[in-house]
Amino acid sequence: MPKLKPPVEPGERIQVEITGQSHTGDGVGKVEGFTVFIPLAIAGERVEARVTRVKKTYAHARLEKVLKASPNRVDAPCPVFERCGGCQVQHIAYPVQLEAKRKQVADAFARIGGLENVEVLPVLGMKEPWNYRNKAQVPFGGSRGRVRAGFYAAGSHQIVEFEHCMVQQPENDRAIQRVKERVKELGIPPYDERKHRGVLRHVMVRTGVHTGDVMVVLVTNGPKLPGRQRLVEGLREDIPGLVSLVQNIQPKRTNVVLGPENRILWGEPVIHDTIGPVRFVISPHSFFQVNPAQTEILYEQVKKHAELSGRETVIDAYCGIGTIALCLAEDAARVFGVESIPQAVEDARHNAALNGIDHASFEAGTAEEVMPRWAEEGIRPDVIVVDPPRKGCAPEFLDAAVKMNPDRLVYVSCNPATLARDAAYLKERGYVNHEVQPVDMFPQTGHVECVTVFRKRKEEGRL
Ligand code: SAH
């Protein structure tokens, strides 16, 4: 086939009708049939834009002027919204954000999974879709005299400073600002990514919203932390609720925020929080859902689909610190969890003990290694719950899951594309889903979370 030359060039000014919204929240339109992504443009608008990058099959452009505005356009309340890469869709009315997410999931099922018949329900959103995040992770940069702390601009490592992030719990913001002030005052050098010099790389703050516990993690380029004692004393004074102050050492040239080693500077190595009646310890490396209010709603959906009566054996795969496993435990006979981060598995075991749950056990390892072994060992779950990272489940994992012949497989997904792929894979192996329930865990961003249940297809079901 002859290669067609793209009809646009970098630097060119174009006029585009926006026909859809991409999974990252960009407006999508066509120029002579060629796809153009335009951040900050909204479906239904006509805009003028400047082409910034041209690839073989699509281009990116920068919005210059809205020629015909959508009625769904709202003023983004955050002053740095257009520069910061944290949120992508603050300029779209919230109910429309939710509908765009629903459509994104339906499109993934139709296009990637070839599953047009799966119904995608309206997204369960938040009443107040702001100030929800319990965790902030902020890069530090600049120089000793001019310390910068903020979020990266979209697609770059330029730090956009802010005082108040509209999707963060205010406690997290305040803690970050306090660290910044102390770091300035004590002359602690921020990290220079290009030269791989300096000390403070990132600050992570996590708040237990139900306990008030605050954890601050200072990520440093090496073991040295000049002014350490005074910093610790200062932060203890400044940050109400501080329970855990940790230094994490990340000596590598990498985008991975946390290094392997944690040193407790003051207080506890963990903080506590609760989901429903269950109490959890959370350590710096462990995954913990970032939107506590919506986590309750997400887990209610998991519970509903798990349909437990107290007699079932349940597997929670990709279990993190055991949150789903332990929330289901009171209605199950036996619970197994598997998770790849050893520290999280330790937390999961600790959490089981903390809640007096003695019929849950957790294993460290990848789900794709451990599940086939469990299948060999004869573990026969009635219900499997999976909550994989963005890349979805490995085929080896799904093969083992099917081999275990569970009655239900509840899938929690943060990426509709891999969910749809895995749904098609499971369908070929006799497990089908009919409905997907998206839950808005990340208002103002393009991300969407889903829950769905796969059951053995009736005619192929074995009893
Ligand atoms: N269900 C938990 C965690 C979900 S996040 C909760 O709701 O809090 C996904 C988890 O999968 C993370 O803890 C991550 O460390 C883990 N993980 C990533 N790849 C994995 C793999 N191949 N096998 C097992 N766990 C994995």
Side-chain angles (χ1 to χ4, degrees), residues 94 98 101 123-126 291 294 438-443 447:
Y94 188 56
L98 295 179
K101 290 184 186 190
V123 182
L124 299 173
M126 296 186 82
N291 185 332
Q294 293 296 88
V439 179
D440 196 19
M441 303 294 281
F442 312 101
H447 296 287

Side-chain angles (χ1 to χ4, degrees), residues 107-410:
D107 283 353
F109 269 86
R111 287 194 205 157
I112 300 167
L115 301 165
E116 279 84 3
N117 294 333
V118 173
E119 187 189 355
V120 181
L121 300 171
V123 182
L124 299 173
M126 296 186 82
K127 275 205 190 82
E128 287 292 329
W130 302 102
N131 301 117
Y132 58 84
R133 282 187 66 98
N134 59 7
K135 175 179 149 182
Q137 203 160 263
V138 166
F140 273 60
S143 61
R144 215 187 286 226
R146 176 77 184 84
V147 179
R148 295 175 69 81
F151 290 120
Y152 290 134
S156 92
H157 273 197
Q158 213 187 333
I159 293 173
V160 177
E161 292 201 276
F162 67 92
E163 265 182 24
H164 172 52
C165 168
M166 313 247 347
V167 296
Q168 281 294 340
Q169 303 270 344
E171 293 79 7
N172 293 347
D173 278 344
R174 282 199 283 272
I176 302 260
Q177 297 307 330
R178 295 298 95 82
V179 176
K180 191 174 159 189
E181 284 157 17
R182 290 288 176 180
V183 163
K184 270 192 202 162
E185 178 191 306
L186 296 170
I188 299 171
Y191 179 60
D192 180 332
E193 218 178 5
R194 252 170 274 161
K195 297 192 184 129
H196 192 48
R197 265 200 237 132
V199 173
L200 189 62
R201 299 175 67 128
H202 273 86
V203 172
M204 181 175 106
V205 179
R206 223 176 210 169
T207 306
V209 294
H210 297 106
T211 57
D213 287 4
V214 177
M215 169 184 274
V216 174
V217 181
L218 308 169
V219 185
T220 57
N221 193 26
K224 276 199 199 133
L225 180 54
R228 185 182 126 176
Q229 205 46 42
R230 288 180 61 200
L231 181 64
V232 170
E233 281 162 20
L235 294 179
R236 281 182 60 188
E237 260 172 44
D238 293 346
I239 302 177
L242 186 68
V243 164
S244 171
L245 181 56
V246 178
Q247 178 184 5
N248 173 272
I249 301 169
Q250 174 52 291
K252 287 203 187 133
R253 267 181 191 257
T254 168
N255 286 341
V256 178
V257 174
L258 295 180
E261 189 185 340
N262 290 324
R263 294 185 181 177
I264 313 300
L265 295 174
W266 178 80
E268 307 286 322
V270 295
I271 56 166
H272 288 81
D273 203 2
T274 58
I275 300 176
V278 189
R279 209 169 148 77
F280 293 97
V281 296
I282 311 160
S283 48
H285 281 88
S286 299
F287 176 90
F288 192 69
Q289 295 285 352
V290 297
N291 185 332
Q294 293 296 88
T295 300
E296 307 261 350
I297 291 177
L298 184 74
Y299 285 11
E300 265 169 33
Q301 291 293 320
V302 173
K303 254 191 175 165
K304 185 178 101 182
H305 291 307
E307 291 176 31
L308 298 179
S309 67
R311 289 188 298 273
E312 291 82 1
T313 296
V314 178
I315 287 178
D316 176 9
Y318 312 87
C319 68
I321 60 172
T323 43
I324 294 178
L326 298 175
C327 287
L328 295 179
E330 68 168 336
D331 299 320
R334 187 83 181 85
V335 184
F336 297 90
V338 53
E339 156 66 43
S340 60
I341 296 183
Q343 182 67 57
V345 175
E346 266 175 46
D347 284 359
R349 290 179 183 143
H350 189 145
N351 287 328
L354 188 68
N355 291 283
I357 294 170
D358 55 11
H359 58 297
S361 52
F362 295 94
E363 194 156 328
T366 64
E368 52 276 26
E369 278 166 14
V370 172
M371 275 294 267
R373 182 153 50 73
W374 281 352
E376 290 297 308
E377 285 169 12
I379 296 179
R380 290 289 172 266
D382 304 282
V383 179
I384 297 176
V385 182
V386 304
D387 184 4
R390 288 189 63 76
K391 67 174 189 238
C393 295
E396 303 79 36
F397 171 85
L398 294 175
D399 291 343
V402 169
K403 195 166 158 199
M404 287 173 163
N405 195 30
D407 190 57
R408 309 178 276 293
L409 186 149
V410 182

Side-chain angles (χ1 to χ4, degrees), residues 6-83:
V8 294
E9 284 182 356
E12 189 177 332
R13 183 178 278 200
I14 51 176
Q15 288 199 357
V16 193
E17 298 285 345
I18 305 298
T19 50
Q21 223 72 46
S22 80
H23 71 279
T24 54
D26 293 353
V28 189
K30 298 233 167 183
V31 173
E32 295 169 36
F34 190 75
T35 302
V36 184
F37 293 100
I38 308 175
L40 307 176
I42 305 180
E45 292 188 328
R46 182 168 178 76
V47 302
E48 202 165 270
R50 177 90 60 183
V51 177
T52 49
R53 262 188 308 154
V54 181
K55 303 271 184 185
K56 273 192 203 125
T57 52
Y58 62 90
H60 285 269
R62 193 176 52 238
L63 179 68
E64 298 221 315
K65 202 169 173 188
V66 179
L67 302 171
K68 192 188 105 205
S70 159
N72 302 326
R73 181 173 278 280
V74 293
D75 285 335
C78 172
V80 297
F81 167 63
E82 295 195 2
R83 288 184 289 136

